[in-house]
Amino acid sequence: MNTRGQITPLYRCILRSCSTDSKLRPKFNFKLDADLSEEIKTGSLKARHHPGVFGGGTVTLPDDLIQAVNTILTDYSVKNLAKEATKLSHCLWSRHASLEAHEYKDKMAQVEAFIKSKETVDPMAPNILEVDRKRLLDSRSSKVLDKMKKETYLWSAIQYDEHKSAAYVVARLAPDFASLVRILREIKKRDTQFSPHTMLDFGSGIGSGMWAVDNIWPGICKEAVCVDCSSEMNNLADKLLRGGDPDSPRTVRAGGTFFKQFLPMSDVLKYDIVLCSRSLFELPDMASRLRTIDILWRKTAGYLIIVEPGTNEGYRLVLEARDYILELSRRASEEEEANPHGYVFSPCAHDMFCPRFFDGSNTPCNFEVNYQPFTFGRKTNTQKDRFSYVVLKQGKRSDSTEQQWPRLVRSPLHRKKHVICRVCTKYGTLQELTVTKQRHGKGCYRLSKNTSWGDLFPVVLPECEPPPTLDSTSPLREVEQEVNDQETALQKEN
């Protein structure tokens, strides 16, 4: 389980020192996948259509969804709604998770110590009158609170009323839909035998997840369960399924479409696809986030998809959920606990530490999708949205026959006579693969020029020593135990 919010500086230093292999370095020693090389030589496969490409160009909303949105928003002022949508979009992008109780307590102690160091008169001095002492202590408390407001993020869950829900449609329907389509498109291309007949969407909002699943697998999903604490969001999602008219019949599914305000706790019913898209920021603390992830994972029969904004904070929450589920799976394998087995399907080709977290760049592992924004019928240019995500699949990686090709984690650098592909490998390392026509052949060079950020690069890398993992002999395990002991002590104090 990743506990970045609770990691001490010593813990970070040990993690970084154990992850020196994660640094980017040039590499030429690789070769194109043998099967693909032969297909390209014979002309049966075009480089721009190789199996690692998932982009698919600009994502646009379905016509019936656009028509439903136009019908719903006819009663709103376009100017005011567009302004509110821009404000909401900025708020969502700059969102932070709430501070844990012990983090807030530590920060308060630091601020109070700083204020005390600036004081010229000690309020607790014996020669201070009681009236003056009270005034000085009140002044200190006021200064501490003011500084805390400036230096800490004041978290609160966003309350969606009817107007804010409509603003969310304008601000986030298109980018949310596009990022989910991009993720689901890869699942369909890589797992051709998978067909989601049931789905659960936690934090479903206006139903972007439903529309994305139906877009990728038309007519396949027979039952959809949408969970959102906002009744206004649920009502709006229901109207979109009715074409914007609440009196019209809803889009029919054989198993039904259900809207709930609370997540069912039972894991008896399982779903082929479970979505948790841009919802973790609305939970008050790490305990509630991990408890929710645990429930969602136990309800998953196929894939669990977690998506958050492509910011450092969004990436941290995705990593927190990823590490938690991988820890459950590790305990199921090594300690025989009754946890579902699972592994990372995408974007990682490995189940080790995320090397981006330790590379010293202070940048998130995120990806980009082009989409056509909703603009009230006016023409506009396409826009880009960045998101961080993880797709976890039930089962064991050892039982899988999937190719573990490296993935481009940044845009490739096209230079004269060579292409630099910055990738994350199955060994849990970040590498720069420099592709030249002379060294790697015309086929590999053409593939590199047609591979984009987020795609898989179908090459075979030589075996290398994997980075450290949290085993019983690793110093990381000792520090993790130290952090757990600190948490236990804090809980006893509270």
Side-chain angles (χ1 to χ4, degrees):
M1 179 178 66
N2 185 286
T3 55
R4 182 178 180 183
Q6 305 172 17
I7 292 175
T8 62
L10 173 62
Y11 188 33
R12 288 199 185 95
C13 288
I14 294 177
L15 290 175
R16 291 181 186 278
S17 66
C18 292
S19 305
T20 54
D21 284 342
S22 70
K23 298 292 184 181
L24 290 175
R25 58 182 184 271
K27 193 173 182 69
F28 297 93
N29 188 18
F30 60 90
K31 59 182 179 180
L32 184 62
D33 183 270
D35 294 335
L36 292 184
S37 179
E38 187 62 30
E39 291 180 22
I40 289 178
K41 284 180 181 178
T42 59
S44 60
L45 176 67
K46 299 292 185 183
R48 63 178 178 273
H49 296 145
H50 74 78
V53 172
F54 311 112
T58 301
V59 179
T60 58
L61 295 172
D63 292 338
D64 51 346
L65 179 55
I66 294 175
Q67 184 176 353
V69 172
N70 284 324
T71 302
I72 290 174
L73 300 182
T74 50
D75 297 334
Y76 293 90
S77 166
V78 172
K79 183 177 179 180
N80 291 338
L81 196 59
K83 186 182 297 185
E84 183 69 21
T86 301
K87 182 179 177 182
L88 178 61
S89 183
H90 291 161
C91 172
L92 293 172
W93 182 255
S94 59
R95 203 103 163 92
H96 285 242
S98 62
L99 284 177
E100 298 296 308
H102 73 277
E103 290 179 318
Y104 188 86
K105 184 178 178 181
D106 291 345
K107 181 65 176 178
M108 177 76 81
Q110 293 175 9
V111 170
E112 187 170 5
F114 176 79
I115 296 298
K116 284 182 179 179
S117 67
K118 299 296 182 180
E119 292 177 345
T120 56
V121 178
D122 182 8
M124 305 309 295
N127 58 339
I128 298 292
L129 296 176
E130 192 62 32
V131 175
D132 293 335
R133 178 179 290 113
K134 183 178 184 306
R135 177 177 57 80
L136 290 171
L137 290 175
D138 289 344
S139 175
R140 177 193 291 174
S141 298
S142 178
K143 290 177 181 178
V144 169
L145 290 176
D146 288 343
K147 192 170 180 61
M148 284 292 292
K149 288 179 181 179
K150 292 178 182 178
E151 296 186 2
T152 59
Y153 181 81
L154 300 178
W155 178 91
S156 64
I158 299 177
Q159 303 299 322
Y160 286 96
D161 55 18
E162 184 178 354
H163 186 77
K164 186 164 284 189
S165 298
Y168 190 92
V169 172
V170 178
R172 296 301 313 171
L173 175 59
D176 288 357
F177 175 83
S179 58
L180 289 172
V181 164
R182 166 66 178 75
I183 295 166
L184 296 172
R185 187 182 288 149
E186 177 176 350
I187 295 176
K188 183 178 182 179
K189 188 169 183 178
R190 290 175 56 189
D191 191 352
T192 56
Q193 303 301 316
F194 177 72
S195 295
H197 296 286
T198 58
M199 67 165 289
L200 169 67
D201 190 354
F202 175 75
S204 55
I206 50 180
S208 307
M210 268 191 305
W211 288 92
V213 170
D214 289 338
N215 181 270
I216 299 299
W217 291 280
I220 298 297
C221 186
K222 306 302 182 186
E223 179 184 351
V225 179
C226 300
V227 180
D228 198 288
C229 62
S230 170
S231 59
E232 295 294 343
M233 281 288 206
N234 286 335
N235 292 339
L236 194 52
D238 183 59
K239 286 182 183 179
L240 290 174
L241 291 178
R242 298 176 187 271
D245 184 357
D247 298 325
S248 298
R250 184 196 291 171
T251 303
V252 177
R253 294 181 193 272
T257 303
F258 306 95
F259 293 97
K260 300 177 182 292
Q261 287 186 266
F262 301 98
L263 178 64
M265 302 292 288
S266 171
D267 58 0
V268 175
L269 291 177
K270 295 185 182 295
Y271 302 87
D272 296 329
I273 278 187
V274 177
L275 298 176
C276 180
S277 178
R278 304 174 192 268
S279 303
L280 296 179
F281 277 114
E282 302 310 309
L283 300 177
D285 52 34
M286 179 187 288
S288 59
R289 289 194 298 270
L290 296 185
R291 185 165 54 248
T292 300
I293 292 298
D294 188 86
I295 295 171
L296 294 178
W297 180 236
R298 295 178 191 279
K299 287 179 173 291
T300 303
Y303 292 93
L304 171 61
I305 303 171
I306 300 170
V307 189
E308 291 297 336
T311 60
N312 278 323
E313 282 294 307
Y315 162 63
R316 184 177 71 82
L317 293 192
V318 170
L319 198 58
E320 178 183 271
R322 172 191 184 272
D323 291 353
Y324 176 74
I325 291 178
L326 290 179
E327 177 65 11
L328 289 181
S329 182
R330 184 194 67 80
R331 291 179 180 178
S333 299
E334 298 178 9
E335 303 174 18
E336 297 183 354
E337 292 188 7
N339 301 320
H341 291 275
Y343 63 94
V344 180
F345 179 82
S346 67
C348 319
H350 60 86
D351 297 331
M352 291 170 272
F353 286 122
C354 177
R356 179 65 69 192
F357 186 72
F358 306 111
D359 70 348
S361 65
N362 194 32
T363 58
C365 178
N366 57 14
F367 301 91
E368 196 171 73
V369 63
N370 295 327
Y371 69 95
Q372 187 67 44
F374 179 79
T375 55
F376 301 96
R378 297 191 297 266
K379 290 185 178 181
T380 185
N381 296 328
T382 60
Q383 295 183 9
K384 298 179 184 294
D385 185 56
R386 290 189 178 181
F387 59 97
S388 293
Y389 79 102
V390 65
V391 179
L392 296 136
K393 186 177 182 180
Q394 287 278 353
K396 297 181 180 180
R397 187 180 289 278
S398 58
D399 298 335
S400 172
T401 59
E402 299 159 2
Q403 294 280 4
Q404 291 179 269
W405 291 329
R407 185 182 299 271
L408 270 72
V409 291
R410 290 292 182 262
S411 294
L413 304 176
H414 296 270
R415 300 292 185 256
K416 185 177 180 181
K417 296 185 179 181
H418 70 276
V419 178
I420 301 174
C421 296
R422 297 169 289 181
V423 301
C424 180
T425 74
K426 66 179 181 180
Y427 306 113
T429 59
L430 295 175
Q431 294 182 5
E432 286 187 350
L433 306 182
T434 304
V435 188
T436 67
K437 190 183 299 184
Q438 181 179 4
R439 189 184 292 263
H440 302 101
K442 186 183 297 185
C444 187
Y445 182 68
R446 281 161 52 195
L447 251 69
S448 68
K449 292 178 73 68
N450 286 277
T451 304
S452 304
W453 184 2
D455 291 338
L456 295 178
F457 189 31
V459 297
V460 179
L461 299 172
E463 294 290 332
C464 73
E465 183 180 348
T469 57
L470 283 178
D471 56 37
S472 58
T473 60
S474 170
L476 300 177
R477 173 63 69 189
E478 298 175 8
V479 180
E480 185 193 49
Q481 185 61 46
E482 179 186 342
V483 173
N484 291 336
D485 293 342
Q486 292 175 2
E487 290 178 3
T488 304
L490 287 169
Q491 289 173 358
K492 289 181 179 179
E493 289 178 7
N494 296 332

